[in-house]
Amino acid sequence: MQDDINTRLSRLSPEIQSIMGVYALYWKLEETFDCMESDLSHPECHMLIKLDQPKRMGVLAADMLSVPSTITATADGLEKAGYLTRERDPEDRRAWLLVLTEQGEETRNMLVSEAGELFHRASGLNAEETAEFARLARKIRDNILKTGIPEGLTK
């Protein structure tokens, strides 16, 4: 059965095969992310992952392809739960940085590790293939951002 599907798919153009692969990977990852052991929402997990270092909310909004009001609401929830704090930016005392607490760091490390394992299981890619896929995905993302952020990513 799988050979029949692979034969039919191989007759499609590389572009269509790529679209189908990315779509299938997206849905598989969405399904498996829902099974991750966390009480956090998707936006909260996303924010923790993006906070690899202290960041201003505007920078974080750009990184997350989101609007500042969404970032503020998500940060408020994470701060209240003890995952992050707000600290004055030493380079501009008018601005605030979001900084992970120890609990936030531990949770971020767990999320990054679990996400990596989920990606490898879902994609079937080895480390070298993952590095190449990441390079191509960054190129795609950069091109999309250059030509305009899709409306669905800004909500």
Side-chain angles (χ1 to χ4, degrees):
M1 172 101 178
Q2 187 64 34
D3 288 339
D4 293 343
I5 292 170
N6 286 336
T7 299
R8 287 194 308 273
L9 291 178
S10 70
R11 291 192 294 256
L12 299 172
S13 70
E15 294 82 3
I16 299 300
Q17 290 180 53
S18 296
I19 291 167
M20 292 174 71
V22 167
Y23 188 72
L25 178 61
Y26 170 81
W27 285 109
K28 185 63 176 177
L29 289 174
E30 274 296 305
E31 175 185 282
T32 53
F33 284 148
D34 286 340
C35 298
M36 285 178 69
E37 300 274 332
S38 175
D39 293 334
L40 301 173
S41 68
H42 278 280
E44 290 171 332
C45 289
H46 191 194
M47 182 175 283
L48 288 180
I49 288 172
K50 293 288 185 168
L51 276 171
D52 57 325
Q53 62 186 25
K55 292 182 182 174
R56 289 185 184 186
M57 296 227 275
V59 171
L60 193 56
D63 284 356
M64 293 177 62
L65 305 176
S66 189
V67 293
S69 59
T70 301
I71 297 301
T72 300
T74 303
D76 288 347
L78 287 171
E79 184 176 32
K80 186 176 179 182
Y83 291 97
L84 61 81
T85 61
R86 286 176 169 89
E87 297 178 8
R88 288 283 183 194
D89 185 341
E91 294 179 17
D92 180 353
R93 300 288 299 156
R94 297 168 296 170
W96 292 92
L97 294 173
L98 296 179
V99 180
L100 292 178
T101 62
E102 187 176 326
Q103 176 187 1
E105 282 284 345
E106 289 171 4
T107 302
R108 180 185 183 280
N109 292 339
M110 180 272 301
L111 289 170
V112 168
S113 177
E114 281 191 37
E117 290 172 20
L118 291 172
F119 176 83
H120 283 287
R121 278 197 310 270
S123 70
L125 299 178
N126 64 31
E128 184 179 318
E129 293 165 330
T130 298
E132 179 63 8
F133 184 81
R135 185 188 68 76
L136 294 170
R138 281 190 307 274
K139 183 176 180 178
I140 292 166
R141 183 182 188 274
D142 290 348
N143 186 63
I144 288 169
L145 293 178
K146 236 187 327 192
T147 59
I149 298 171
E151 186 177 323
L153 290 178
T154 60
K155 294 187 180 194

